[in-house]
Amino acid sequence: MTLYEIMDILDAKVLVGRKYLGTEIYTAFSADLLSDVLAFAKAKSILLTGLTNPQIVRTASILDIAAIILVRGKIPQTETLRLAEQLDIPILTTRYILFEASGRLYTNGIRGCEIKVGTDDVIAI
Amino acid sequence: MNLNYENSFEIQGGSFLKAGEVSVFVKKTLQRMGLPNDILRKVAIATYESEINIISYARCGVIHIDVNATRVLIDVQDEGPGIEDIQLAMRAGYSTASEEIREMGFGAGMGIPNIMSCSDDFQITSEVNKGTHLKVMIRMPANTN
């Protein structure tokens, strides 16, 4: 589905990158941990997160993330928006919580960019 | 296609707002040079994790990028506390990150494991109270040159 349809499903507002709403999206990654985003998110996926600092944009740029969807109604710092414009990363914001936003997208056909990660061995640290 | 590039970048410890600036620059530069996408991704992630590590833990550090037609070398040397137990630091989930680092969304103990998973060859040496030295090699696919 397109970013435009995602905006519709999540009743989201576009903060940066209106011109990219036609981008086709198939997969997503949801996390509030950039370490995990860097380890597991795949190129061309969207990133759903509650983080709003400039590093979400740099992380998205490093990974070729197609768009950032901020959940829980977050509005990022000005620096984050400025950087997103500079690096051409669309940012949308939705009032849905992370679970609800992810679930609504899944129901409409978006899939996780990974299904499971790691191994079944549990290692105590 | 000219795939030669070499550059050094100085990173200041604690410069959280700038975290990732160097890595995004390196990635865009190598992208323009026509580095294959899968290599570009590995280089970008390894550089970014290294940059975050310097900013999070060290006083300062230097990231040296050296690209030719056969491989990319990422050499990261920092001055700082060093790593007491390297085996532990290489294990996913182990972290000594401060609250500030965690608030930024990092410090989950995935940095070094993630750099290793992007590397074809990985070496780490560290001296407590002096610093840490990472050497990362990422091989180019044979048909690039």
Side-chain angles (χ1 to χ4, degrees), chain B residues 3 6 14 28 75 86 88 97 117 123 128:
Chain B
L3 275 183
E6 204 175 343
K28 297 234 178 252
D75 187 289
I86 289 181
L88 215 47
S117 73
Q123 290 172 42
V128 173

mmCIF file of all heavy atoms in Angstrom, chain B residues 3 6 14 28 75 86 88 97 117 123 128:
data_model
loop_
_atom_site.group_PDB
_atom_site.id
_atom_site.type_symbol
_atom_site.label_atom_id
_atom_site.label_comp_id
_atom_site.label_asym_id
_atom_site.label_seq_id
_atom_site.Cartn_x
_atom_site.Cartn_y
_atom_site.Cartn_z
ATOM 1 N N LEU B 3 36.279 3.330 -7.401
ATOM 2 C CA LEU B 3 35.858 2.984 -6.049
ATOM 3 C C LEU B 3 36.966 3.223 -5.037
ATOM 4 O O LEU B 3 37.174 2.425 -4.145
ATOM 5 C CB LEU B 3 35.389 1.535 -5.992
ATOM 6 C CG LEU B 3 33.933 1.290 -6.381
ATOM 7 C CD1 LEU B 3 33.560 -0.164 -6.227
ATOM 8 C CD2 LEU B 3 32.996 2.151 -5.546
ATOM 9 N N GLU B 6 39.238 7.603 0.685
ATOM 10 C CA GLU B 6 39.877 7.520 1.993
ATOM 11 C C GLU B 6 39.632 8.818 2.739
ATOM 12 O O GLU B 6 39.774 9.899 2.176
ATOM 13 C CB GLU B 6 41.386 7.266 1.834
ATOM 14 C CG GLU B 6 41.960 6.623 3.065
ATOM 15 C CD GLU B 6 43.432 6.235 2.916
ATOM 16 O OE1 GLU B 6 43.919 6.163 1.772
ATOM 17 O OE2 GLU B 6 44.066 6.019 3.950
ATOM 18 N N GLY B 14 30.381 12.559 23.797
ATOM 19 C CA GLY B 14 29.314 13.345 24.408
ATOM 20 C C GLY B 14 28.527 14.246 23.477
ATOM 21 O O GLY B 14 27.565 14.886 23.902
ATOM 22 N N LYS B 28 26.289 8.747 2.215
ATOM 23 C CA LYS B 28 25.883 9.490 1.012
ATOM 24 C C LYS B 28 27.041 9.584 0.020
ATOM 25 O O LYS B 28 26.842 9.484 -1.191
ATOM 26 C CB LYS B 28 25.376 10.892 1.397
ATOM 27 C CG LYS B 28 24.145 10.853 2.274
ATOM 28 C CD LYS B 28 23.009 11.681 1.702
ATOM 29 C CE LYS B 28 21.763 11.600 2.564
ATOM 30 N NZ LYS B 28 20.680 10.808 1.969
ATOM 31 N N ASP B 75 38.358 1.766 10.357
ATOM 32 C CA ASP B 75 39.263 1.698 11.501
ATOM 33 C C ASP B 75 38.790 2.734 12.523
ATOM 34 O O ASP B 75 38.695 3.913 12.212
ATOM 35 C CB ASP B 75 40.691 1.992 11.019
ATOM 36 C CG ASP B 75 41.702 1.765 12.115
ATOM 37 O OD1 ASP B 75 41.731 2.580 13.067
ATOM 38 O OD2 ASP B 75 42.458 0.795 12.018
ATOM 39 N N ILE B 86 35.997 -7.718 26.967
ATOM 40 C CA ILE B 86 35.613 -7.656 25.555
ATOM 41 C C ILE B 86 34.627 -8.774 25.195
ATOM 42 O O ILE B 86 33.677 -8.552 24.450
ATOM 43 C CB ILE B 86 36.867 -7.697 24.648
ATOM 44 C CG1 ILE B 86 37.627 -6.367 24.788
ATOM 45 C CG2 ILE B 86 36.480 -7.903 23.180
ATOM 46 C CD1 ILE B 86 38.865 -6.257 23.952
ATOM 47 N N LEU B 88 32.362 -10.048 26.949
ATOM 48 C CA LEU B 88 31.029 -9.633 27.408
ATOM 49 C C LEU B 88 30.447 -8.569 26.473
ATOM 50 O O LEU B 88 29.266 -8.594 26.121
ATOM 51 C CB LEU B 88 31.163 -9.086 28.842
ATOM 52 C CG LEU B 88 30.028 -9.342 29.824
ATOM 53 C CD1 LEU B 88 29.580 -10.797 29.803
ATOM 54 C CD2 LEU B 88 30.459 -8.945 31.226
ATOM 55 N N ALA B 97 25.638 1.305 29.231
ATOM 56 C CA ALA B 97 25.211 2.637 28.800
ATOM 57 C C ALA B 97 24.586 3.454 29.925
ATOM 58 O O ALA B 97 23.909 2.915 30.801
ATOM 59 C CB ALA B 97 24.220 2.510 27.662
ATOM 60 N N SER B 117 28.242 -8.440 12.835
ATOM 61 C CA SER B 117 27.404 -9.110 11.837
ATOM 62 C C SER B 117 27.496 -8.414 10.477
ATOM 63 O O SER B 117 27.149 -9.003 9.454
ATOM 64 C CB SER B 117 25.950 -9.209 12.322
ATOM 65 O OG SER B 117 25.335 -7.951 12.278
ATOM 66 N N GLN B 123 38.196 -7.103 14.205
ATOM 67 C CA GLN B 123 39.164 -7.218 15.296
ATOM 68 C C GLN B 123 38.923 -6.109 16.293
ATOM 69 O O GLN B 123 38.679 -4.966 15.904
ATOM 70 C CB GLN B 123 40.585 -7.108 14.746
ATOM 71 C CG GLN B 123 41.011 -8.309 13.916
ATOM 72 C CD GLN B 123 42.340 -8.053 13.233
ATOM 73 O OE1 GLN B 123 43.251 -7.505 13.832
ATOM 74 N NE2 GLN B 123 42.436 -8.458 11.979
ATOM 75 N N VAL B 128 42.058 -0.748 29.213
ATOM 76 C CA VAL B 128 41.295 0.002 30.205
ATOM 77 C C VAL B 128 41.986 1.335 30.511
ATOM 78 O O VAL B 128 43.207 1.385 30.645
ATOM 79 C CB VAL B 128 41.100 -0.843 31.486
ATOM 80 C CG1 VAL B 128 40.467 -0.021 32.608
ATOM 81 C CG2 VAL B 128 40.235 -2.056 31.180
#
